[in-house]
Amino acid sequence: MGAKKEYPADSGEPIAVWSVDIDCAHEDECACEDDTERGVWVDTRVASDTLARGALVLALREYDDDDGDDVVRIDDRIAVSCDLATGALTPLRTEGAIFLNRHPWLEEVLREEELPRLRLRAERAAAQGDRETAAKRALPQPGNAMLPYHELFPADWDLLPVCDGERYWAVDLYCRNPDCTCTSSVIRFHRVEDDATTTFAGEVTVDYAEAEPRARSTSPGAARVFERLWKESEYSLRARQAEASSAVRRLASRTKTPVAAVPVWGRTPRNAPCPCGSGKKFKRCCLDSSARDDIAARR
């Protein structure tokens, strides 16, 4: 599954919240009964100071039966403030007040079922401003084991695409050799089960130097999931590759020992594809760069 995560997997995207049976105080029939069949999309507007303020903004939209697997988009016209200590909702505009009046169950459900997740999102948003501490811990020693992005930047949101009705955790890994010039990464997909366990579902190798990268996949299923992920998160993937590569170049330790000696992936033949995923032969990529450093050091 990859390195242990500091935070549970969360994409930071809208949460679907469903109503429960409500014993309202109204004597006559009211709209509360209609709401027992409804759902609401809750989008968290978190910022670095959300945790310090003790409240975060929630953008709301009624659940639509036509909402498919595509990322749900919600504007800020209907917005409320949620107190992170009590779960109390306060409308920020008239539209928010009307929405809460139509969905009187929402505050109770958020407080009882989703408040811990909202607090954790505020915590993660506050930690995302630190782009060095975890990366410095993750890169103390050279090696040829590829490094998961979430080990470099554990507070960042995760990639959780939905494909064919199944949710997957996409773990993107990068070469940790600071002398490697490859522009590739490996993305491993883990199917997320209902009980939050995961099952490995395959992987792809992507070269970001290509305008429309062709993913080399280990299975047709992995290829389909990648297509969905690329459609939803191309810019996020490219940004993550750029930042991860920059962190490795700045923070990783250089070594005078050929990376093939490190037994994480086993011994890689010189003419085999480089384990970093560059698509080059091992002797022309990570082994080659380490060998050049070794020769230079002897002169």
Side-chain angles (χ1 to χ4, degrees):
M1 185 170 173
K4 182 179 179 182
K5 283 178 57 59
E6 185 173 335
Y7 299 98
D10 186 355
S11 64
E13 292 175 356
I15 303 167
V17 179
W18 297 95
S19 58
V20 296
D21 293 337
I22 300 169
D23 294 326
C24 69
H26 302 146
E27 295 181 359
D28 301 323
E29 293 185 0
C30 65
C32 295
E33 296 181 359
D34 297 333
D35 282 333
T36 59
E37 300 296 329
R38 292 184 179 177
V40 169
W41 285 110
V42 178
D43 201 5
T44 49
R45 300 291 194 247
V46 289
S48 58
D49 63 343
T50 295
L51 191 63
R53 289 188 288 107
L56 77 164
V57 173
L58 305 178
L60 309 174
R61 176 167 80 76
E62 291 182 346
Y63 188 92
D64 191 323
D65 290 338
D66 293 331
D67 290 336
D69 292 342
D70 291 332
V71 178
V72 176
R73 305 297 182 188
I74 303 176
D75 61 34
D76 291 327
R77 288 182 302 116
I78 301 174
V80 300
S81 175
C82 177
D83 189 294
L84 291 173
T86 66
L89 301 181
T90 303
L92 300 180
R93 298 172 56 179
T94 303
E95 293 91 335
I98 295 172
F99 193 93
L100 291 182
N101 185 61
R102 180 174 296 177
H103 301 276
W105 53 269
L106 182 59
E107 181 174 301
E108 178 183 351
V109 173
L110 283 177
R111 180 174 60 251
E112 295 184 356
E113 298 183 6
E114 300 294 346
L115 193 55
R117 176 158 35 167
L118 298 181
R119 290 170 179 159
L120 187 57
R121 284 193 172 186
E123 178 186 336
R124 288 184 72 159
Q128 285 172 15
D130 181 1
R131 314 303 291 172
E132 292 285 308
T133 302
K136 288 179 179 179
R137 285 200 309 265
L139 291 165
Q141 299 295 330
N144 68 344
M146 297 193 76
L147 194 65
Y149 182 90
H150 67 249
E151 192 172 328
L152 288 167
F153 309 106
D156 283 16
W157 305 118
D158 300 288
L159 302 170
L160 295 171
V162 175
C163 182
D164 298 331
E166 301 280 356
R167 182 168 291 277
Y168 295 83
W169 177 28
V171 180
D172 45 335
L173 303 102
Y174 301 91
C175 177
R176 64 189 306 155
N177 181 355
D179 298 314
C180 181
T181 59
C182 71
T183 55
S184 301
S185 75
V186 171
I187 304 177
R188 293 176 179 166
F189 296 107
H190 304 265
R191 187 169 58 253
V192 181
E193 312 294 348
D194 292 339
D195 59 357
T197 60
T198 60
T199 303
F200 179 68
E203 67 182 37
V204 300
T205 301
V206 188
D207 187 350
Y208 293 91
E210 301 175 3
E212 292 294 334
R214 290 175 296 174
R216 300 190 299 276
S217 61
T218 59
S219 68
R224 287 196 303 272
V225 180
F226 175 75
E227 287 179 8
R228 167 65 63 174
L229 176 65
W230 189 256
K231 176 182 177 182
E232 296 178 353
S233 307
E234 174 188 352
Y235 294 104
S236 293
L237 285 169
R238 290 188 181 279
R240 287 160 74 104
Q241 188 274 334
E243 185 167 20
S245 298
S246 175
V248 168
R249 287 193 296 270
R250 289 185 293 105
L251 304 175
S253 300
R254 265 104 177 144
T255 178
K256 298 177 183 179
T257 303
V259 295
V262 182
V264 178
W265 285 337
R267 292 189 175 276
T268 304
R270 289 172 53 84
N271 290 316
C274 186
C276 76
S278 66
K280 303 175 183 179
K281 289 185 178 181
F282 183 48
K283 67 182 181 181
R284 299 300 183 192
C285 191
C286 292
L287 178 62
D288 186 46
S289 60
S290 297
R292 285 199 303 269
D293 288 348
D294 192 33
I295 294 173
R298 296 178 197 172
R299 291 176 178 173

